[in-house]
Amino acid sequence: MSEVDSAPAESPPRDRCRVGLSRAAAGTPVLHLVHPAGGSVACYRGLAGDLSPELATAAFLPAALDGGVLDQDVETMAARYLAEVPPGPVLLGGWSFGGLVAFEMARRLAAAGRATGPLLLIDTPLPGVGAVDDASLAAEFETELAKTTGPSGSTAEERASRFEVFRTHCRAQVAYRPPERIANDLVVVARKDNEDAPRWQDHTTGRLRLRRLPADHYELMRTPHVGALTRFAKPALIAAGKSLR
C-alpha cells in the first residue's frame, strides 16, 4: 500500500508515483510537491487544503514505497517524476529533501525549454549538506517517525524498509551537486534557526524571497505555521500560475 497516510490523496497504480492531494476546477494551476526523505506525502495535507481552491496540489511518492525500485540519487528521482508531469507550465516545490528533487526537476525542465514558475523550498537543505553515517541517520529517522507519524503498529520488516528509503534519500541529498544555477525565483520558507537559507541565492539567477517562521523543521508543516507558510507563498504561486497559462 502506498504510504499516503491520512492525506486526502488518490492511491497511484504500482508503476506510478504521482498522486492528487487536492482537486480544483479545470484549468487551475497545479503545484507539484516532492516527498521528503521519509517518503510520505501526508505532510502536505494542510498545505494542500490551504492552497485550494486557487491552486490544485499533486505530490510524488517514491516508487520504493509501493514495491518499486529505490532510486539512489536525486537526478534519477527527478527524471522519474518528470515523466509523470502533465504537459504545459509547471509549478514545483517540496519540504526538506523534497525541495532538492524539485530543484533538479526545475533545472531539467528549463533545459528542455519548459516554463516553470517560482520554486517553493520549505526548509530545504543546501545541496551537499547532511549526515551519511548509519548512527546519525538512524537517530534522524526515529525523530522523523516520532514527529510525523507517531507510534505505529508497523512490523520490524516494514520499519527496516522505511529506514532504507530514508537513508538512501539522505545520502542522495549529500551527494547531489547541481551542475549550474537555475533562473527561477525561489520562495523559501525556513525554520527560525536555519542560517543556510539565504545561501540558496547562490543557486539561482532569479530572486530569492525568504521568510523565517518561529517553528522547528517539523512544526513548519503543521498548524498554525503552515497557515503562515501558505499566506507567504500563495500569492506568488497564484500569480505565476496565471502568467504561465
Side-chain angles (χ1 to χ4, degrees):
M1 180 177 179
S2 297
E3 182 160 345
V4 187
D5 297 342
S6 56
E10 303 166 354
S11 295
R14 290 181 65 84
D15 60 344
R16 304 285 289 177
C17 296
R18 185 177 183 268
V19 297
L21 296 183
S22 66
R23 295 181 177 87
T28 301
V30 181
L31 173 65
H32 289 83
L33 297 165
V34 182
H35 60 82
S40 173
V41 296
C43 55
Y44 296 129
R45 180 176 55 240
L47 178 60
D50 285 350
L51 291 174
S52 180
E54 293 89 351
L55 289 170
T57 309
F60 292 101
L61 289 158
L65 288 184
D66 219 14
V69 65
L70 177 54
D71 294 322
Q72 301 294 308
D73 54 70
V74 167
E75 293 85 352
T76 302
M77 279 175 253
R80 183 184 299 278
Y81 303 156
L82 282 174
E84 298 187 32
V85 172
V90 183
L91 294 174
L92 293 166
W95 172 50
S96 196
F97 170 74
L100 283 181
V101 182
F103 182 95
E104 177 63 15
M105 292 171 70
R107 190 190 71 78
R108 290 175 177 237
L109 285 169
R114 293 275 300 275
T116 57
L119 186 62
L120 175 61
L121 302 180
I122 307 170
D123 214 38
T124 295
L126 293 168
V129 174
V132 294
D133 63 284
D134 278 356
S136 297
L137 292 177
E140 290 183 17
F141 176 68
E142 293 301 326
T143 298
E144 177 149 321
L145 284 182
K147 294 276 191 176
T148 57
T149 62
S152 70
S154 60
T155 66
E157 183 179 359
E158 290 169 339
R159 199 177 182 89
S161 177
R162 292 182 64 179
F163 175 63
E164 183 59 23
V165 170
F166 179 83
R167 176 172 58 185
T168 299
H169 291 161
C170 288
R171 288 179 173 173
Q173 169 184 306
V174 176
Y176 178 56
R177 298 291 191 280
E180 69 264 333
R181 293 189 290 176
I182 60 175
N184 303 63
D185 287 348
L186 301 183
V187 178
V188 178
V189 179
R191 66 186 187 277
K192 56 190 174 184
D193 59 348
N194 186 337
E195 297 180 358
D196 287 338
R199 293 173 56 197
W200 272 106
Q201 184 66 73
D202 298 338
H203 295 279
T204 183
T205 59
R207 178 188 177 193
L208 174 72
R209 299 180 63 235
L210 170 63
R211 174 67 57 84
R212 286 193 179 89
L213 296 178
D216 67 23
H217 183 66
Y218 298 96
E219 291 169 343
L220 283 173
M221 304 307 297
R222 298 197 294 264
T223 304
H225 307 292
V226 71
L229 185 166
T230 305
R231 289 190 293 274
F232 175 64
K234 191 173 185 177
L237 295 172
I238 291 175
K242 291 178 179 178
S243 66
L244 290 171
R245 288 179 185 176

